[in-house]
Amino acid sequence: MFKRSPGKIRCGVAGVGSLGQHHARIYSTLPHVEFAGIFETNDARAAEICAQHHCRRFATIAELGAACDAVSVVVPTDRHAEVALPLLAAGCHLLIEKPLCASLEEAEQVLAAARKANRLVQVGHIEHFNPVMSYLEKHAGRPQYITTERLAPYTPRGTEVGVVLDLMIHDIGIVLALVGSPIKQIDSVGISVLSKTEDIANARIEFENGCVANLTASRMSLKKNREIRVFQDNAYLSLDFMNQKGHLVKKSDIIAYGVKLKVGLAKAGDASSIPVHEIPIEKGEPLAIELAHFVESVREAKQPKVGGALGKSALEVAIAITEQIRKAGK
């Protein structure tokens, strides 16, 4: 088990780009945290973040590691292992933004180093800390069919990997956690539009327990969208991760509607008499919840909710989907 950390946790951030800047912002406000500083190769961005949060800029990853108990790794995916390994060697606990690494080989290197150093690794599957996911974990029982849609406008950021590792991996992690069954079969399609890797992808995942999940991701959309629909034996749930809202329709209400049709109390095709229940979701900033959980895991010496095992499993599925798409494109 990890060694419990007394007092304040000294936290740092490696990479303060579009996402890393928010890690810095949140660490600077969390209780039980001493925000030690950042490592950032861009001089202007480093100066900006240090001025905002009155923190130190470290010249090297080694210096950052020596000054911190815990570090967020928020560099491009293909540099995760390069940055994580020396931080683990320095004795830091890590929150590594998703995906864990760019390859399974690198992921195993990082996890092996974490085991050797007796340090925890949390993977930044942020949607697991979205209040929508908290609701799903309590109310999505025995899913039979799941659809997810994750759309975003094109941006050069993140294109060092394809859309599966960039966006779809969020939903892969969610579905793996909700279904809790081994995968039987995966069928995938995808196309490249502007980048060298796939920009639009769809994957159909069939699980051993019979559940089927259909996942769609695109970084060529004119709008952002992050939705999930879950069909189970007692209800249909539709939830919006971005706006943190949703609704459900109970199977018992659909049966009651069918009875009304038979006796002439409802018209065919008019579903307005079927109650649609709004889902009460207490809104919150997922990243703030995620980082607070990471700090608590370090303080209490306990495994995080999204540890290296789930991060690696999601990566395995994402790479399998990516390889299917690329083989079909040859």
Side-chain angles (χ1 to χ4, degrees), residues 249-267:
V249 177
K250 296 178 180 178
K251 182 178 179 180
S252 57
D253 290 331
I254 297 174
I255 292 172
Y257 169 68
V259 172
K260 289 180 181 179
L261 281 177
K262 286 185 178 180
V263 299
L265 295 177
K267 294 180 179 180

Side-chain angles (χ1 to χ4, degrees), residues 1-316:
M1 181 46 71
F2 312 115
K3 184 178 179 181
R4 187 185 180 96
S5 299
K8 286 197 171 185
I9 307 299
R10 297 172 302 164
C11 293
V13 181
V16 286
S18 60
L19 179 56
Q21 64 179 325
H22 296 295
H23 283 248
R25 168 179 60 82
I26 292 165
Y27 279 136
S28 70
T29 64
L30 284 178
H32 310 301
V33 166
E34 175 189 331
F35 184 39
I38 64 169
F39 171 79
E40 170 57 52
T41 57
N42 183 295
D43 292 340
R45 173 47 68 94
E48 176 187 352
I49 298 301
C50 289
Q52 284 179 5
H53 305 300
H54 309 289
C55 64
R56 177 181 170 187
R57 180 192 186 185
F58 294 95
T60 66
I61 290 292
E63 288 183 15
L64 177 70
C68 294
D69 303 305
V71 174
S72 284
V73 176
V74 203
V75 297
T77 302
D78 53 5
R79 294 190 59 212
H80 280 186
E82 172 191 338
V83 172
L85 290 171
L87 289 171
L88 288 168
C92 295
H93 301 282
L94 300 184
L95 190 155
I96 304 176
E97 269 301 340
K98 64 80 203 161
L100 174 56
C101 287
S103 70
L104 290 173
E105 292 78 13
E106 288 183 341
E108 188 48 54
Q109 287 177 11
V110 169
L111 297 182
R115 290 191 292 268
K116 182 179 178 181
N118 196 31
R119 291 297 180 264
L120 68 81
V121 170
Q122 179 172 321
V123 185
H125 284 267
I126 191 171
E127 297 290 34
H128 287 258
F129 297 92
N130 192 312
V132 168
M133 186 63 176
S134 299
Y135 179 88
L136 281 169
E137 288 168 338
K138 293 176 184 176
H139 299 281
R142 302 181 303 279
Q144 297 171 335
Y145 183 64
I146 301 173
T147 68
T148 69
E149 187 176 67
R150 189 166 294 263
L151 311 178
Y154 183 80
T155 171
R157 185 188 68 82
T159 53
E160 73 275 1
V161 294
V163 73
V164 175
L165 283 169
D166 183 24
L167 296 181
M168 186 185 285
I169 196 166
H170 281 296
D171 297 314
I172 292 169
I174 290 166
V175 167
L176 291 178
L178 292 179
V179 178
S181 173
I183 290 175
K184 182 178 179 181
Q185 184 173 332
I186 299 174
D187 295 291
S188 315
V189 292
I191 59 168
S192 169
V193 180
L194 290 180
S195 65
K196 294 179 181 179
T197 54
E198 78 283 352
D199 294 310
I200 302 170
N202 176 267
R204 182 185 184 276
I205 304 175
E206 184 179 351
F207 293 87
E208 294 285 356
N209 68 0
C211 180
V212 172
N214 196 304
L215 284 58
T216 299
S218 170
R219 54 189 181 194
M220 298 302 303
S221 175
L222 296 178
K223 63 175 184 176
K224 287 185 177 181
N225 191 42
R226 304 192 328 238
E227 293 186 357
I228 185 170
R229 297 172 181 86
V230 180
F231 300 81
Q232 53 193 45
D233 57 4
N234 65 344
Y236 155 68
L237 300 87
S238 176
L239 293 113
D240 180 340
F241 279 93
M242 187 167 65
N243 296 302
Q244 297 180 349
K245 64 181 183 179
H247 62 268
L248 68 86
V249 177
K250 296 178 180 178
K251 182 178 179 180
S252 57
D253 290 331
I254 297 174
I255 292 172
Y257 169 68
V259 172
K260 289 180 181 179
L261 281 177
K262 286 185 178 180
V263 299
L265 295 177
K267 294 180 179 180
D270 179 13
S272 61
S273 60
I274 303 176
V276 176
H277 305 273
E278 293 300 315
I279 294 173
I281 295 174
E282 185 177 345
K283 295 188 177 184
E285 184 182 2
L287 184 60
I289 298 169
E290 179 182 49
L291 293 185
H293 175 83
F294 174 53
V295 171
E296 180 187 4
S297 298
V298 173
R299 279 177 55 83
E300 300 297 327
K302 65 182 183 181
Q303 283 286 353
K305 179 181 181 182
V306 185
L310 190 146
K312 185 183 175 186
S313 295
L315 180 62
E316 286 174 341

